[in-house]
Short mmCIF file of all heavy atoms in Angstrom, two decimals:
data_model
loop_
_atom_site.label_atom_id
_atom_site.label_comp_id
_atom_site.label_asym_id
_atom_site.label_seq_id
_atom_site.Cartn_x
_atom_site.Cartn_y
_atom_site.Cartn_z
N TYR A 1 -17.00 23.79 -9.81
CA TYR A 1 -17.69 25.04 -9.56
C TYR A 1 -16.83 26.18 -10.07
O TYR A 1 -15.68 26.32 -9.66
CB TYR A 1 -17.99 25.16 -8.07
CG TYR A 1 -18.68 26.43 -7.69
CD1 TYR A 1 -20.00 26.64 -8.06
CD2 TYR A 1 -18.03 27.40 -6.96
CE1 TYR A 1 -20.64 27.81 -7.72
CE2 TYR A 1 -18.67 28.56 -6.60
CZ TYR A 1 -19.98 28.76 -6.99
OH TYR A 1 -20.62 29.91 -6.65
N VAL A 18 -23.65 33.73 -18.39
CA VAL A 18 -22.64 33.53 -19.44
C VAL A 18 -22.80 32.15 -20.08
O VAL A 18 -22.68 32.00 -21.29
CB VAL A 18 -21.21 33.69 -18.87
CG1 VAL A 18 -20.16 33.33 -19.89
CG2 VAL A 18 -21.00 35.11 -18.35
N GLY A 21 -27.70 28.15 -21.81
CA GLY A 21 -28.00 27.63 -23.14
C GLY A 21 -26.84 26.96 -23.84
O GLY A 21 -26.99 26.48 -24.96
N SER A 23 -24.43 24.02 -24.74
CA SER A 23 -24.49 22.56 -24.67
C SER A 23 -23.15 21.97 -24.26
O SER A 23 -23.09 20.84 -23.79
CB SER A 23 -24.94 21.97 -25.99
OG SER A 23 -24.06 22.34 -27.04
N HIS A 32 0.81 32.63 -18.71
CA HIS A 32 1.66 33.33 -19.69
C HIS A 32 3.05 32.73 -19.79
O HIS A 32 3.69 32.80 -20.82
CB HIS A 32 1.74 34.83 -19.36
CG HIS A 32 2.71 35.14 -18.27
ND1 HIS A 32 2.40 34.98 -16.93
CD2 HIS A 32 3.99 35.57 -18.33
CE1 HIS A 32 3.46 35.31 -16.22
NE2 HIS A 32 4.43 35.68 -17.02
N SER A 39 1.40 28.44 -27.33
CA SER A 39 1.35 27.99 -28.72
C SER A 39 0.02 27.32 -29.05
O SER A 39 -0.40 27.30 -30.20
CB SER A 39 2.52 27.06 -29.04
OG SER A 39 2.43 25.87 -28.29
N PHE A 40 -0.69 26.78 -28.04
CA PHE A 40 -1.98 26.14 -28.26
C PHE A 40 -3.11 27.15 -28.37
O PHE A 40 -4.11 26.91 -29.06
CB PHE A 40 -2.27 25.16 -27.11
CG PHE A 40 -3.63 24.54 -27.17
CD1 PHE A 40 -3.94 23.61 -28.15
CD2 PHE A 40 -4.61 24.88 -26.25
CE1 PHE A 40 -5.20 23.03 -28.21
CE2 PHE A 40 -5.87 24.32 -26.30
CZ PHE A 40 -6.16 23.39 -27.28
N ASP A 43 -4.65 27.98 -31.80
CA ASP A 43 -5.41 26.84 -32.33
C ASP A 43 -6.77 26.73 -31.65
O ASP A 43 -7.79 26.48 -32.31
CB ASP A 43 -4.64 25.54 -32.14
CG ASP A 43 -3.36 25.48 -32.94
OD1 ASP A 43 -3.28 26.16 -33.99
OD2 ASP A 43 -2.44 24.76 -32.53
N ALA A 45 -8.43 29.20 -30.25
CA ALA A 45 -9.23 30.34 -30.70
C ALA A 45 -9.83 30.08 -32.08
O ALA A 45 -11.01 30.38 -32.32
CB ALA A 45 -8.39 31.61 -30.72
N ALA A 46 -9.06 29.50 -32.99
CA ALA A 46 -9.57 29.18 -34.32
C ALA A 46 -10.69 28.13 -34.24
O ALA A 46 -11.71 28.26 -34.92
CB ALA A 46 -8.43 28.68 -35.21
N GLU A 54 -20.78 27.98 -36.71
CA GLU A 54 -21.75 26.94 -37.04
C GLU A 54 -22.93 26.92 -36.08
O GLU A 54 -24.05 26.63 -36.47
CB GLU A 54 -21.08 25.57 -37.02
CG GLU A 54 -20.06 25.37 -38.11
CD GLU A 54 -19.33 24.04 -37.98
OE1 GLU A 54 -19.79 23.17 -37.20
OE2 GLU A 54 -18.31 23.88 -38.66
N GLU A 60 -18.95 27.29 -25.08
CA GLU A 60 -18.27 28.40 -24.42
C GLU A 60 -17.01 27.84 -23.79
O GLU A 60 -17.00 26.71 -23.30
CB GLU A 60 -19.15 29.06 -23.37
CG GLU A 60 -18.65 30.40 -22.94
CD GLU A 60 -18.54 31.37 -24.11
OE1 GLU A 60 -19.56 31.79 -24.66
OE2 GLU A 60 -17.38 31.71 -24.46
#
Side-chain angles (χ1 to χ4, degrees):
Y1 179 70
V18 173
S23 58
H32 80 280
S39 65
F40 175 71
D43 294 334
E54 292 175 13
E60 195 59 69

